[in-house]
Amino acid sequence: MARTQKKAVTVVTAEVVEVTAANAEIRSIGEAVVDVVAALPAPEVISGAELFVPLDKLRKSPRNARKTPHSEAHIEALAASIAAKGMLQNLVVEPEADAVGEPTGFYLVTVGEGRRLAHLLRVKRKQIRKTEVIRCVLDTANDPQEISLDENVTREAMHPADQFEAFRELAEHRGWGAEEIAARFGVTAHVVKQRMRLGAVNPKLMQVYRDGDLTLDQLMAFAVTDDHERQEQVYAGLSYNREPWIIRRDLTRTHVQANDRKAIFVGPDNYTEAGGSIIRDLFTEDRGGYFDDPALLDQLVIAKLESIAADLKEAEGWKWVEVFIDFPHAHGLRRAYPQTVELSEEDEAAYAAARQEFDDLTAEWENSDDDLPPDVDKRFAELKAEIERIDAMREGHDPDDISRGGVFVTLNHDGTARIERGFIRPEDEKPEPEQVDAAGVINGVRVDEDGEVIEDDERDEVGNHVSGLASQEEEDGDAGQPLTDLLTRDLTAQRTLGLRLALGEQPDIALIAVTHALASQTFYRSVDAHALEIRPTSPHLCGHADGIEDTAAAKMLADRHAGWAADMPQNVGELWDFIAGLDQVSVMTLFAHCASLTVNALKLPSEQRPRAQRTADKLATALVLDMNQHWTPTVQTYFGRVTKAHILAAVREAVGDEAADRIAAMKKQPMAEAAEQLLAGTEWLPPLLRTERTRSQKAADAVVETSEAVDLEPEAPTSDTADYSVEESCAEVDGATFHIAAE
């Protein structure tokens, strides 16, 4: 510790020099003291005396016990403290002597080297002069190395909890802001805010931290909110696992993160203007904080969606527009897709003119190295907008569908509005005309004279089935009278058997029939127009993977579906002729699309389908599915949702042990972010997304790798090699032989 005791003070007197007004020079008191001290004879050296030594006469002691340099942050803090409050501790010095023991006029700093460096930093910033006098205590009685060691060892640092609370009290009692406190202590304003936030943690939890039952990381996690009651509740509910991320998760369970789609859609400014508040985690990357009023946020989302819906209904004329935060997949409504619309002659002419001018401008400026002139750039934008506007008119919903149909306006996973048009409610469907025959059958249903339905199991008073009884009129004969229900079922059963036998012998017609059954139920909801009892089901994936509808793969699938929907005939009765009129490739493509929508490879805790999962694996192998084309491991999609052990295992497998060891000591969030960067471009996939390759596929890969490695001209194959390649091009997989076509 600095020696500040005063055993003796050398009293010096100085001759007063009068200064005339003509050559008067205003000088600081410090400069005057320096001049006076320099002009005096050297005082008698007395250990313990307090001296005022010019800064440029102080040097670092070679016997200072501290060998590790002070950090820049520590020197910065000392400089700020001295500037704000003066030097609170004297330097302890000893006179420097030369090789023969004569004083050099310099003093060696035994205790207080950090403060000396802080003064030099102030000189560098021109806050003081290098001749500034520094208050020192002379010590020639003690061993310099011992007292330097004593200064650094015999002390106890303040408990961090005391520091946190003291910073908070400075703000509360003195009204100082973070910037002012930061300037007085030589730290950043962010550090001050962190300490103040920690000082505001529930006092009970602060005492737990003082007692050593909470770590600093755990205390920082509790500081995510100022709600002391909530902090106590979460602390009381903690089990053996007290990871900071668990504490943060539980504290913010009722909050909405700023990168959530709802928060993005509303925006922080609109949310705060409506009375909401945003809390921020000063100790981790919180991506904008947490919106603390989910109910208010939902209200704002609905209000904004309703505004969009009102404008849409007015502009396009739909019968109804409904607003939901999540898309109502189980709505059960039929959907009418936009159809191709022929443009008017005026629109076609306008499109051709805009396209021609756009092409002419492109040809004129495509080889120019200069930037486009503003007027040309503006004209390009106008022509592009006109072309897109007219192109959009080539497809549209039928006016009748618009007058009967509606729109769902919902929220996308990326925080944008999602608009889905063309849904028809059952009560808005066009009624089918009733067809009543002479036997009282309406649309295939038997009715009596009063119009009531005659059930198939109705019998007479003696138990005979009414449909099986022939009336006297029927026995007399009427060629136009329909057959009985019993005979009708008998004959149609015979016809069904014949159809089954014939269809099994004609694969081309079977393909059309199956495609018709799938397409009629895929594109015409609630319409029973298919003869094959095939019921395609398509589980919605959005409920199992957030944001999956916004992926590139999902958009490609939606575009493919919309393209086929636009080609479908309006009347399902015309669907068979439409499919039968397609070429073979188009039929196969439509069949593949309809079949693809029924794929279900989900693994759910409530379902145990091991055989189905194995079949899904075989399907992936047959398709040579490469999930690297559709999915990338990121913090959001994988690393932020698994344990640190899973992250390290992935890095170790994809990059190597050295990379895994480098990030092993990181916390969860930084480790996840580092893993995302390390695995970028490696094509690593978690086991659930990997596709097993067949022996023939592996052999083909090996051939490709060999041909790429050996830069030789290929030789013409001999008959032996040709036979061998044909034999090897067949691989038996689970009893089936697949042939690879020669290139």
Side-chain angles (χ1 to χ4, degrees):
M1 290 181 286
R3 274 56 177 171
T4 56
Q5 61 184 5
K6 302 178 182 180
K7 294 183 178 179
V9 178
T10 303
V11 180
V12 298
T13 59
E15 179 180 0
V16 179
V17 181
E18 294 183 358
V19 182
T20 62
N23 60 358
E25 181 181 358
I26 301 176
R27 299 183 300 173
S28 69
I29 296 177
E31 291 173 331
V33 171
V34 170
D35 292 343
V36 172
V37 171
L40 294 176
E44 180 183 356
V45 177
I46 302 175
S47 182
E50 185 178 272
L51 302 178
F52 289 88
V53 181
L55 179 60
D56 59 355
K57 296 296 183 181
L58 295 174
R59 292 178 175 174
K60 179 180 179 180
S61 172
R63 290 186 283 183
N64 193 308
R66 181 188 290 271
K67 303 303 180 185
T68 303
H70 293 274
S71 67
E72 293 183 5
H74 180 61
I75 300 302
E76 181 72 39
L78 287 174
S81 176
I82 292 171
K85 299 174 280 292
M87 196 168 65
L88 303 179
Q89 292 178 287
N90 299 331
L91 304 185
V92 178
V93 299
E94 63 170 335
E96 184 186 51
D98 58 18
V100 296
E102 293 296 328
T104 63
F106 290 88
Y107 290 86
L108 301 176
V109 179
T110 305
V111 174
E113 174 62 14
R115 295 187 290 280
R116 185 185 76 88
L117 295 175
H119 281 298
L120 292 176
L121 178 60
R122 297 182 66 211
V123 171
K124 183 178 180 180
R125 293 176 175 173
K126 301 186 183 305
Q127 296 176 354
I128 59 174
R129 295 178 180 272
K130 65 180 179 179
T131 56
E132 180 85 6
V133 291
I134 308 299
R135 189 172 67 248
C136 305
V137 172
L138 186 68
D139 192 328
T140 58
N142 295 301
D143 176 61
Q145 187 172 12
E146 181 185 352
I147 63 174
S148 174
L149 180 63
D150 197 339
E151 167 77 7
N152 289 282
V153 172
T154 313
R155 63 176 178 176
E156 183 176 3
M158 175 186 288
H159 193 282
D162 300 332
Q163 179 188 149
F164 304 151
E165 292 179 341
F167 268 80
R168 176 179 56 81
E169 290 172 359
L170 284 176
E172 292 179 354
H173 298 162
R174 302 200 180 185
W176 291 346
E179 297 290 344
E180 184 171 357
I181 296 175
R184 298 178 69 86
F185 287 89
V187 294
T188 64
H190 182 69
V191 169
V192 173
K193 291 177 181 178
Q194 287 181 325
R195 295 175 183 176
M196 292 167 59
R197 177 68 67 83
L198 288 169
V201 171
N202 188 305
K204 295 180 180 178
L205 297 184
M206 187 66 77
Q207 188 58 48
V208 175
Y209 170 59
R210 281 191 174 95
D211 296 340
D213 293 330
L214 274 182
T215 66
L216 180 58
D217 286 341
Q218 292 167 339
L219 187 71
M220 290 190 296
F222 277 107
V224 72
T225 178
D226 293 330
D227 189 340
H228 286 186
E229 182 178 353
R230 181 64 181 152
Q231 290 172 349
E232 282 193 55
Q233 291 175 350
V234 170
Y235 177 75
L238 289 177
S239 61
Y240 66 92
N241 192 346
R242 297 188 174 191
E243 289 288 335
W245 69 270
I246 292 179
I247 297 173
R248 286 190 178 89
R249 180 201 64 188
D250 292 347
L251 284 169
T252 58
R253 190 183 298 276
T254 59
H255 297 65
V256 179
Q257 201 160 355
N259 61 351
D260 182 86
R261 57 182 180 138
K262 298 178 186 177
I264 295 172
F265 184 64
V266 172
D269 294 338
N270 294 332
Y271 174 74
T272 53
E273 288 177 5
S277 60
I278 302 175
I279 63 174
R280 301 187 182 277
D281 190 345
L282 299 180
F283 304 97
T284 63
E285 174 57 47
D286 63 3
R287 295 173 176 81
Y290 301 86
F291 290 48
D292 67 348
D293 193 339
L296 173 62
L297 187 60
D298 284 351
Q299 293 175 9
L300 296 175
V301 170
I302 292 295
K304 189 172 180 179
L305 290 175
E306 287 178 343
S307 175
I308 295 173
D311 295 341
L312 182 69
K313 185 175 182 180
E314 181 179 358
E316 300 185 10
W318 293 93
K319 181 178 181 180
W320 55 266
V321 180
E322 290 190 359
V323 167
F324 298 92
I325 293 179
D326 297 309
F327 186 80
H329 286 281
H331 49 71
L333 306 182
R334 180 177 70 85
R335 185 171 189 178
Y337 286 89
Q339 303 293 314
T340 302
V341 178
E342 291 189 6
L343 298 180
S344 64
E345 294 182 0
E346 294 80 4
D347 290 332
E348 286 287 6
Y351 179 84
R355 170 58 68 181
Q356 184 63 46
E357 185 178 354
F358 186 90
D359 293 341
D360 293 342
L361 279 177
T362 301
E364 180 181 352
W365 292 95
E366 64 180 352
N367 296 324
S368 175
D369 296 331
D370 299 330
D371 293 336
L372 291 177
D375 57 333
V376 176
D377 190 45
K378 179 181 179 181
R379 186 55 182 162
F380 263 118
E382 292 173 349
L383 290 172
K384 184 178 179 181
E386 178 67 5
I387 292 171
E388 291 177 350
R389 182 188 70 82
I390 300 177
D391 265 337
M393 297 169 56
R394 296 184 185 277
E395 282 191 353
H397 284 86
D398 187 282
D400 185 59
D401 289 335
I402 294 177
S403 65
R404 294 182 295 111
V407 182
F408 289 119
V409 179
T410 63
L411 187 59
N412 255 332
H413 286 276
D414 61 354
T416 59
R418 174 184 176 185
I419 301 174
E420 299 289 346
R421 300 172 173 87
F423 294 93
I424 312 295
R425 292 169 173 165
E427 60 269 24
D428 294 326
E429 294 282 3
K430 287 183 178 179
E432 295 288 339
E434 292 184 350
Q435 299 179 356
V436 183
D437 59 18
V441 178
I442 301 178
N443 293 336
V445 179
R446 288 174 53 83
V447 296
D448 59 17
E449 295 179 355
D450 297 327
E452 296 181 356
V453 176
I454 300 176
E455 301 294 342
D456 287 343
D457 60 350
E458 285 192 40
R459 301 177 182 276
D460 60 11
E461 60 278 2
V462 295
N464 295 318
H465 199 289
V466 295
S467 61
L469 297 177
S471 64
Q472 183 63 37
E473 295 179 357
E474 290 175 343
E475 292 180 356
D476 293 341
D478 184 354
Q481 194 170 4
L483 302 177
T484 64
D485 289 347
L486 184 60
L487 181 57
T488 298
R489 290 200 301 270
D490 188 314
L491 296 178
T492 53
Q494 297 293 333
R495 185 168 184 260
T496 299
L497 178 59
L499 286 170
R500 289 179 179 179
L501 181 62
L503 188 63
E505 297 171 350
Q506 302 182 51
D508 53 339
I509 303 301
L511 176 62
I512 293 176
V514 173
T515 303
H516 176 272
L518 295 174
S520 63
Q521 298 172 82
T522 300
F523 297 99
Y524 304 87
R525 299 292 184 182
S526 303
V527 175
D528 191 6
H530 50 282
L532 274 62
E533 290 294 341
I534 297 175
R535 304 288 179 182
T537 59
S538 181
H540 298 294
L541 302 179
C542 60
H544 304 286
D546 290 339
I548 193 171
E549 293 177 318
D550 294 328
T551 62
K555 291 176 180 177
M556 289 173 61
L557 181 60
D559 291 343
R560 189 175 74 191
H561 187 80
W564 275 113
D567 294 338
M568 292 289 119
Q570 291 280 4
N571 186 352
V572 69
E574 302 171 3
L575 180 61
W576 180 277
D577 294 334
F578 168 77
I579 297 175
L582 296 174
D583 59 83
Q584 185 73 4
V585 174
S586 298
V587 174
M588 294 290 289
T589 304
L590 176 58
F591 169 76
H593 171 70
C594 295
S596 71
L597 299 180
T598 68
V599 173
N600 182 5
L602 286 168
K603 280 189 175 182
L604 304 179
S606 58
E607 296 180 357
Q608 298 297 326
R609 306 187 309 147
R611 295 182 181 85
Q613 294 300 330
R614 286 196 291 271
T615 303
D617 293 339
K618 295 181 185 299
L619 176 61
T621 298
L623 294 171
V624 196
L625 177 66
D626 181 9
M627 283 302 298
N628 281 301
Q629 299 178 8
H630 313 301
W631 186 89
T632 302
T634 64
V635 174
Q636 182 177 2
T637 61
Y638 186 76
F639 297 118
R641 303 165 65 182
V642 297
T643 64
K644 293 173 64 175
H646 284 96
I647 297 175
L648 291 175
V651 174
R652 202 176 303 279
E653 180 182 7
V655 186
D657 293 340
E658 182 180 352
D661 294 339
R662 285 202 308 269
I663 68 172
M666 291 183 177
K667 294 182 179 179
K668 170 70 178 297
Q669 184 67 21
M671 180 186 288
E673 294 171 355
E676 177 180 336
Q677 297 178 2
L678 287 170
L679 269 68
T682 63
E683 296 189 350
W684 178 88
L685 292 171
L688 279 173
L689 296 184
R690 298 175 186 175
T691 299
E692 181 67 23
R693 300 178 69 76
T694 63
R695 290 194 299 273
S696 61
Q697 292 167 354
K698 292 177 182 178
D701 292 341
V703 171
V704 172
E705 292 176 0
T706 303
S707 63
E708 292 177 349
V710 181
D711 187 16
L712 297 174
E713 288 293 328
E715 298 179 356
T718 63
S719 58
D720 292 337
T721 57
D723 292 339
Y724 174 77
S725 63
V726 171
E727 292 173 0
E728 288 301 306
S729 67
C730 300
E732 187 174 336
V733 182
D734 296 320
T737 301
F738 297 88
H739 293 268
I740 302 174
E743 296 182 349

